[in-house]
Amino acid sequence: MNSWTPHASFSPYAPCEGQALGPTTHSTTLPAPSRHVNNPSALIPPATPRLEPIPLPPVSFDDTALNTMVTYASRPRIQYDVRRHPGYASAPKGRQHWSEEPATNPPTPKMVIVCMVLPRPFVVYPTSRDLNYVTVRDLLAATHDAFREATQGAVADDETWVPGFSM
């Protein structure tokens, strides 16, 4: 076992053998401080990062617009409660096939929906094999499913959550 025991004459302030205390007769020029370090084991903390807001992506990357049936309006064009199946949704008289209309113009093969009251975005795909675009019905059905999944998750977590939604 290694143990160190100081000699009786040891003093941290006494000069070591062969060294003298006092002013030196020569001076040394020290280099100016620099960020460049010759010793790779030396650590220099990184510069403080600039905190800037991250810009959000645009709502649409091209000239795609939503069908007016599904845009926000003070008087909704579709009467729909997301707690019920989309088959219960109703639209203005005179538009018999409104649910088969494309949800966007031009029609798109998928939509990513971000809703502030849902825990995560959801993606809408066409449900009909005959159509290669998302319809208003597809959008309503995906919205219904996303809200139902969120409420089931909230019930499992013992939360009280009731969505209110109309288009």
Side-chain angles (χ1 to χ4, degrees):
M1 181 170 158
N2 282 340
S3 68
W4 182 79
T5 26
H7 298 300
S9 63
F10 174 78
S11 168
Y13 302 106
C16 293
E17 193 175 317
Q19 292 182 346
L21 287 179
T24 58
T25 56
H26 66 284
S27 66
T28 336
T29 306
L30 298 174
S34 147
R35 288 189 60 95
H36 180 70
V37 176
N38 291 332
N39 182 355
S41 65
L43 298 175
I44 297 176
T48 305
R50 289 185 55 181
L51 299 177
E52 296 179 8
I54 299 171
L56 295 174
V59 174
S60 178
F61 292 105
D62 51 18
D63 293 329
T64 303
L66 286 173
N67 182 325
T68 57
M69 296 289 288
V70 297
T71 57
Y72 177 80
S74 58
R75 293 182 54 117
R77 293 171 183 89
I78 298 174
Q79 296 299 316
Y80 178 56
D81 181 346
V82 295
R83 295 173 292 183
R84 300 189 72 191
H85 187 274
Y88 291 101
S90 63
K93 305 288 185 229
R95 286 183 93 160
Q96 293 180 355
H97 303 289
W98 62 270
S99 66
E100 296 303 318
E101 293 179 15
T104 60
N105 183 21
T108 57
K110 76 175 181 180
M111 295 175 68
V112 178
I113 307 296
V114 178
C115 180
M116 294 186 319
V117 298
L118 292 176
R120 63 185 161 275
F122 61 96
V123 182
V124 184
Y125 294 101
T127 55
S128 172
R129 291 182 183 191
D130 298 334
L131 302 173
N132 61 351
Y133 58 85
V134 175
T135 65
V136 172
R137 180 188 309 158
D138 297 333
L139 179 58
L140 295 179
T143 303
H144 168 73
D145 292 343
F147 272 79
R148 186 182 56 195
E149 181 182 316
T151 55
Q152 288 172 347
V155 169
D157 295 339
D158 285 338
E159 295 177 14
T160 303
W161 184 72
V162 178
F165 182 74
S166 88
M167 288 184 159

